[in-house]
Amino acid sequence: MKKILIAFTLTFILSIFANHKVIAAEHEHHHEENKAKLSLNQGNKWPIDKSLHIGMTNIKNEIANNLQNIHHEQFTDEQYAMLAATLDKQLSFLFANCQLPPLADAQLHTLLAKVMQGVDTIKHSNSKKQGAVLVIQALKDYPEYFADPNWQSLIH
């Protein structure tokens, strides 16, 4: 039974990762090490839609729920793997439900590139905490560039 549960969990995590990649590609989401810089819309913040608020709030809540353990280096590799899978699920949600105008969407992709880079670092680096830091930086940037009146910043 335990072997079946482990196999199921690994299959689930891999399917989320694969699904995230497919949706990102379908959404014409191409990134190279997050070289693009965020910018305002002629001095104003970019508009958002409901799915953007939901996805970003879910990412923030997942980080917030684990922040103390990450900060105090009490987060295990298994916990980081679960965090990465959850963040991938939220990224897939954002890509699948994005309804932003093209210019706002381009800025969102720049922001999400940092989240994706953080997730990739969590998955493939010995410095998994640095991946979480990249996600936290993206969460800090979000309200600076996007007009989300219901956003509550991450407190750490």
Side-chain angles (χ1 to χ4, degrees):
M1 179 71 176
K2 191 173 184 179
K3 288 182 182 179
I4 293 171
L5 182 58
I6 291 170
F8 176 76
T9 303
L10 288 173
T11 302
F12 178 72
I13 290 171
L14 290 173
S15 71
I16 289 173
F17 179 72
N19 186 40
H20 162 67
K21 292 292 185 186
V22 169
I23 291 171
E26 288 173 358
H27 199 65
E28 299 179 36
H29 185 62
H30 304 284
H31 296 286
E32 294 178 11
E33 300 273 333
N34 196 24
K35 292 179 183 176
K37 299 228 181 220
L38 286 168
S39 62
L40 292 171
N41 181 13
Q42 299 178 354
N44 297 311
K45 293 180 183 182
W46 295 98
I48 68 161
D49 62 10
K50 184 177 179 179
S51 66
L52 178 53
H53 174 76
I54 291 169
M56 291 302 291
T57 298
N58 288 343
I59 289 170
K60 179 192 65 168
N61 289 343
E62 190 63 30
I63 293 292
N65 290 339
N66 296 294
L67 191 58
Q68 289 303 315
N69 287 335
I70 291 170
H71 178 72
H72 294 293
E73 300 189 25
Q74 297 173 340
F75 217 54
T76 66
D77 286 348
E78 182 178 277
Q79 289 172 305
Y80 273 116
M82 290 172 53
L83 175 64
T86 300
L87 295 176
D88 269 339
K89 182 179 176 184
Q90 292 308 314
L91 286 166
S92 293
F93 170 83
L94 285 165
F95 296 138
N97 294 288
C98 180
Q99 299 293 318
L100 297 179
L103 293 176
D105 185 61
Q107 290 300 305
L108 173 61
H109 286 216
T110 300
L111 179 79
L112 294 182
K114 188 178 278 188
V115 176
M116 291 173 65
Q117 186 179 3
V119 171
D120 189 59
T121 300
I122 290 169
K123 289 179 182 178
H124 304 292
S125 170
N126 291 332
S127 181
K128 296 180 184 317
K129 183 177 179 180
Q130 281 304 101
V133 168
L134 288 171
V135 175
I136 291 167
Q137 288 172 347
L139 291 169
K140 181 181 174 200
D141 289 343
Y142 174 67
E144 297 294 319
Y145 294 93
F146 292 89
D148 187 339
N150 297 317
W151 181 255
Q152 305 224 346
S153 294
L154 180 68
I155 299 172
H156 59 65

